[in-house]
Amino acid sequence: MNNIFKIHKEEIGLTLGGLLVFITFNALLIYHHFNRFTQYARGGFWSIFNNQLHLSGYDPYPYMSISKWDVYYDMYRHPIFSLLFYPLSLLNGGLMTLTHRNCAMFIMAFFTILASVYGLLFAYRIFRRLLDMGKFDSHLLAILLYSFAAVFTSAMSPDHFIFSMFLLLMTLLICGTHFKEHTQPKWYTMAILYFVTAGITLSNGIKTLISTWFSYGKATFRLKHVLLILLFPTLLMVGLSYWQEQAFFIPRHEKGARIAEQKAAKDSTFVLKGKEIAAKMEKIQGKPIEDSKFLKWSDLTTSRTDALVENLFGESIILHQDNLLGDIFLGRPIVVRYKWTINYVIEGIIVLLFLGGIFVSFRKKLMLMLLSWFGYDLLLHFGLGFGLNEVYIMGCHWLFIIPVAIGYLMLRLPSRYQLALRGLLSSIALYLLIYNGYLVASYLL
């Protein structure tokens, strides 16, 4: 674990194969948006990028921040993510001066590909080192993870999800290695992991804290650990969030409010149009528990059953052909059903294998930690309804638990049944790669 980023000899083939796929599909995304997204603008870039990515609802905010740095992500959900783009915006500024082209897509693609490759390697190492699986099975389950639609599309989108999965897999690999060796990670390792996971996606910081508890047990609550792992990183994130809000977020919104007032004064229908848009947004997002900074993202009205079948275990794994890669805020229905019965069959097989894996491994410390993570996600999405209407784009936060559970199931089976399961998983992974890959490629071309 001394150098977690070192690529070992047996990982070269997987690295090169993943790199080829990730470069290809990031290139297709760039090709699809090249003329619009490489425009050189002296002013702002909001009108160029906003609502123009057209990829399942992923946000183009990183493109906007790299083009001309500002805070677009909600600081209460992503406290430090926008800050990471500041040095990249300086680089892009120099490139725009030289080329008179906005290079934000190329810069973001580089880091997206990097996170995708290392996420793939970390997944492989989890199966190979923590579950002690053979090379073929470790390759198979890592590829299965990346054949899932949410991971496949996140590995080419500019949004934060692939970076979240990269960090969660790193956390899983680090903590799992310590579990296996009956040791504890250094406090500063957990503090850094908490800061970056929570800083990019606040909800994932809870998972790092759960990992800390699994790693230290009762010692988690010692004053040293509470101060250094929880309190100090949290205060730093709060301070950074407050500074971003006061210095950038609020001034931009105040400017937008002044512009809206000016338009309302000139156009008597402007206020009515605004109310119609607000009503439409509430219908899409669902009725929140209350209109507060955090609970405004909750949803009490979206059908949990449809969300479970068509979105959580549906679109997260297998893309729907109708409304392909559509955005619910740009016309995609919240619930889309598959045209082919085979997709429901595959979804059902994956869910059954997932449940079987949980059944045979629920006493394993690594699996218990993952189930705690997944339980937290279910509470967030299905209890509070957070992001439930487009829960499929958040699959990178939890989908990796499925191949881990299946890995445990495979290890418990007699060799003749392992062979059958290996063949079944190979068929499913190949189908998903061809099916999801073809739909994405045809959409972008």
Side-chain angles (χ1 to χ4, degrees):
M1 295 300 294
N2 291 334
N3 187 356
I4 198 172
F5 297 107
K6 181 180 179 181
I7 299 174
H8 300 280
K9 186 176 181 180
E10 74 172 57
E11 299 169 339
I12 292 176
L14 182 65
T15 302
L16 293 177
L19 193 61
L20 178 62
V21 173
F22 301 142
I23 289 175
T24 299
F25 279 88
N26 275 270
L28 287 177
L29 184 72
I30 292 172
Y31 167 80
H32 185 73
H33 297 90
F34 183 82
N35 289 332
R36 183 178 185 88
F37 284 5
T38 58
Q39 291 181 51
Y40 177 60
R42 296 186 181 276
F45 289 83
W46 179 271
S47 60
I48 292 176
F49 291 108
N50 191 49
N51 290 333
Q52 297 300 321
L53 182 59
H54 300 160
L55 187 70
S56 292
Y58 294 112
D59 290 324
Y61 296 156
Y63 290 157
M64 295 158 67
S65 295
I66 296 173
S67 300
K68 183 179 180 182
W69 191 79
D70 206 333
V71 178
Y72 296 102
Y73 279 102
D74 187 325
M75 293 78 59
Y76 298 99
R77 293 163 56 201
H78 312 282
I80 69 169
F81 196 46
S82 294
L83 295 175
L84 301 179
F85 300 117
Y86 180 71
L88 302 182
S89 70
L90 298 179
L91 171 62
N92 189 45
L95 292 173
M96 282 197 290
T97 301
L98 291 173
T99 64
H100 290 277
R101 283 279 188 182
N102 186 356
C103 300
M105 288 190 77
F106 298 95
I107 295 171
M108 196 61 197
F110 173 81
F111 289 99
T112 300
I113 292 168
L114 194 63
S116 301
V117 167
Y118 272 105
L120 181 64
L121 289 178
F122 292 163
Y124 172 80
R125 291 173 189 173
I126 288 166
F127 303 121
R128 187 81 171 109
R129 300 180 187 178
L130 302 188
L131 274 65
D132 293 318
M133 303 189 76
K135 291 182 183 179
F136 180 85
D137 292 337
S138 299
H139 280 99
L140 173 58
L141 291 173
I143 292 169
L144 177 67
L145 171 62
Y146 272 77
S147 72
F148 293 162
V151 181
F152 193 95
T153 52
S154 291
M156 57 190 288
S157 84
D159 214 334
H160 68 276
F161 296 104
I162 198 65
F163 301 99
S164 291
M165 190 178 83
F166 158 76
L167 290 170
L168 289 171
L169 288 172
M170 182 192 292
T171 303
L172 184 59
L173 180 60
I174 291 172
C175 292
T177 301
H178 283 285
F179 294 167
K180 189 174 181 181
E181 296 173 352
H182 303 287
T183 57
Q184 293 178 343
K186 301 293 185 182
W187 68 264
Y188 52 80
T189 300
M190 299 312 298
I192 293 170
L193 286 173
Y194 169 59
F195 180 73
V196 293
T197 52
I200 289 180
T201 305
L202 187 62
S203 59
N204 285 337
I206 303 297
K207 297 176 182 178
T208 306
L209 294 178
I210 291 172
S211 303
T212 304
W213 181 55
F214 271 86
S215 298
Y216 292 118
K218 293 180 180 179
T220 304
F221 304 101
R222 288 178 184 168
L223 183 61
K224 172 186 174 181
H225 291 151
V226 172
L227 289 175
L228 297 177
I229 297 176
L230 174 62
L231 188 60
F232 288 169
T234 300
L235 289 175
L236 181 56
M237 280 187 284
V238 169
L240 290 171
S241 298
Y242 181 78
W243 170 70
Q244 291 176 82
E245 182 179 45
Q246 297 299 315
F248 301 97
F249 204 77
I250 290 177
R252 192 176 74 247
H253 278 257
E254 288 177 345
K255 181 180 178 182
R258 288 195 297 270
I259 293 172
E261 289 176 1
Q262 293 170 1
K263 289 182 177 180
K266 295 178 181 179
D267 184 0
S268 58
T269 64
F270 183 80
V271 175
L272 181 61
K273 291 177 182 176
K275 291 180 179 179
E276 291 174 352
I277 293 172
K280 181 181 177 181
M281 292 292 285
E282 182 175 326
K283 184 177 180 180
I284 293 171
Q285 292 178 319
K287 183 180 178 181
I289 296 172
E290 63 178 57
D291 189 19
S292 63
K293 288 180 178 179
F294 291 100
L295 292 178
K296 69 179 180 180
W297 303 102
S298 60
D299 178 358
L300 296 174
T301 53
T302 297
S303 167
R304 269 51 176 172
T305 304
D306 284 335
L308 183 71
V309 175
E310 302 294 349
N311 292 342
L312 187 78
F313 289 115
E315 183 82 357
S316 296
I317 296 173
I318 313 171
L319 292 172
H320 289 84
Q321 293 161 298
D322 293 335
N323 296 279
L324 178 62
L325 298 172
D327 185 341
I328 59 169
F329 295 104
L330 297 175
R332 181 194 190 275
I334 294 174
V335 176
V336 179
R337 307 196 186 281
Y338 291 110
K339 295 170 68 175
W340 296 350
T341 304
I342 184 64
N343 290 335
Y344 287 109
V345 173
I346 291 173
E347 179 185 342
I349 291 172
I350 291 173
V351 170
L352 288 175
L353 291 174
F354 177 37
L355 294 175
I358 292 174
F359 179 76
V360 301
S361 65
F362 71 93
R363 291 185 179 181
K364 298 283 187 180
K365 190 174 183 179
L366 187 72
M367 198 63 193
L368 281 173
M369 187 176 79
L370 279 174
L371 288 173
S372 300
W373 287 10
F374 186 51
Y376 171 69
D377 282 322
L378 291 179
L379 174 64
L380 200 64
H381 297 309
F382 284 80
L384 297 177
F386 173 80
L388 186 60
N389 49 16
E390 51 178 358
V391 69
Y392 43 85
I393 68 172
M394 303 175 195
C396 279
H397 294 165
W398 65 272
L399 276 169
F400 45 82
I401 189 178
I402 293 179
V404 172
I406 293 174
Y408 277 118
L409 177 63
M410 183 178 287
L411 291 172
R412 287 288 298 272
L413 293 175
S415 57
R416 64 181 183 275
Y417 293 119
Q418 284 186 9
L419 185 63
L421 180 56
R422 199 172 288 126
L424 177 62
L425 292 175
S426 298
S427 301
I428 290 174
L430 183 61
Y431 175 83
L432 292 178
L433 284 172
I434 294 173
Y435 176 88
N436 290 329
Y438 173 78
L439 289 180
V440 172
S442 62
Y443 175 82
L444 294 175
L445 290 171

